[in-house]
Amino acid sequence: MLEILQQSAISAGRAILDIYNAGPEVTYKPDCSPVTDADACAERIILADLARAFPGVPVVAEEAVAAGFVPDIAGKSFFLVDPLDGTKEFIGRHDDFTVNIALIENGAPVAGVVYAPALRILYAAYQGKAVKTVIDETFRLDDETVIGCRSCGDRMVGLASRSHNSAETIAYLAEHGIADYRAVGSSLKFCLLAEGLADVYPRFSRTMEWDTAAGDAILRAAGGETLTMDGAPLTYGKRNQKDDSDFANPWFVSRGKP
């Protein structure tokens, strides 16, 4: 399975880079969030790959959901896809945008791929193992390394969203004595925790499940965790929520080894 997800993410990333270099066409959704032709192109590639390899598994994909297509996932394993996470970074020509593909079983992310095409780095997790792989100039997997969260020392390093930071996030970092933090785009924040380069990522602004699932899968496989504000693990497949839309996440805190 993992090889299929990796190759699909790489193929989508290759198409994204072509548009990145040529200059994307930007439009806006009803919620005023930007979307580009790269989002649509990458999603088509991933959906075709998943349909061919896993014909019986539903796929919840960001742009398809925006267009009103939501498959039946009740009682089923399913994929979550964000074809281009960090669209604002992509438009602003920052390199920290990613392709996210995750497999959800019983509400938990059990496999995931996060590919940063501009950085030529791919993170992946499956069966409790997290890895980081360099992608060479011919778009092949090269130099794979097993990764894991670090034990937190006296001086914690925090992560915050580059484009969606909030006063609550800054307050959380201050309350926990975390003066050293980096602003990073996309799901790479989860991967930096999984790699042992940071300790905590508080998120007190809106995210959707496709934004977080793949990175969360990698973090969990690396020994970390993502908890909601009541201390429960973040779950996936949230439908018919009383106070929010389908697949919307509550606030959460992701961290390396407790």
Side-chain angles (χ1 to χ4, degrees):
M1 169 183 284
L2 186 58
E3 182 178 354
I4 294 170
L5 301 187
Q6 289 172 320
Q7 292 301 325
S8 184
I10 291 170
S11 296
R14 190 169 186 170
I16 287 170
L17 282 180
D18 288 343
I19 296 172
Y20 184 65
N21 293 326
E25 178 181 327
V26 182
T27 56
Y28 290 87
K29 299 179 187 179
D31 65 0
C32 297
S33 62
V35 62
T36 73
D37 47 342
D39 296 73
C41 181
E43 185 162 298
R44 284 195 298 270
I45 291 169
I46 296 168
L47 290 179
D49 289 342
L50 295 179
R52 184 167 50 250
F54 311 103
V57 182
V59 181
V60 176
E62 179 179 10
E63 303 313 324
V65 171
F69 178 73
V70 182
D72 177 18
I73 60 170
K76 303 175 184 178
S77 299
F78 65 98
F79 289 106
L80 274 167
V81 172
D82 189 339
L84 178 52
D85 185 31
T87 302
K88 288 185 177 180
E89 279 71 32
F90 177 78
I91 295 169
R93 303 201 66 80
H94 297 291
D95 288 344
D96 46 349
F97 54 87
T98 60
V99 179
N100 300 344
I101 308 173
L103 175 66
I104 308 301
E105 293 181 353
N106 298 317
V110 298
V113 170
V114 171
Y115 176 40
L119 300 175
R120 293 194 359 224
I121 297 172
L122 186 146
Y123 296 88
Y126 187 52
Q127 296 181 333
K129 177 184 176 182
V131 298
K132 175 184 178 181
T133 307
V134 174
I135 306 302
D136 69 19
E137 294 180 356
T138 63
F139 296 94
R140 295 178 183 272
L141 297 163
D142 185 31
D143 191 23
E144 179 180 283
T145 304
V146 176
I147 59 175
C149 300
R150 69 185 184 188
S151 296
C152 184
D154 294 334
R155 185 175 179 84
M156 294 177 66
V157 175
L159 299 171
S161 172
R162 181 198 299 276
S163 298
H164 304 281
N165 207 348
S166 66
E168 292 86 352
T169 299
I170 300 303
Y172 178 95
L173 294 169
E175 288 167 8
H176 289 78
I178 304 170
D180 185 6
Y181 72 92
R182 295 172 56 188
V184 180
S186 76
S187 56
L188 283 174
K189 294 180 283 295
F190 292 96
C191 301
L192 294 177
L193 294 176
E195 196 177 354
L197 298 179
D199 302 294
V200 63
Y201 162 39
R203 183 64 184 238
F204 299 129
S205 57
R206 188 170 180 80
T207 61
M208 303 299 289
E209 292 183 11
W210 44 77
D211 297 319
T212 62
D216 195 6
I218 294 161
L219 176 60
R220 296 187 195 198
E225 61 187 8
T226 297
L227 305 178
T228 62
M229 303 318 294
D230 61 5
L234 184 64
T235 60
Y236 294 86
K238 300 183 291 294
R239 302 289 309 277
N240 303 312
Q241 299 192 86
K242 180 180 178 181
D243 299 317
D244 212 335
S245 61
D246 288 354
F247 308 111
N249 287 325
W251 290 354
F252 62 83
V253 176
S254 295
R255 60 184 183 180
K257 291 183 179 179

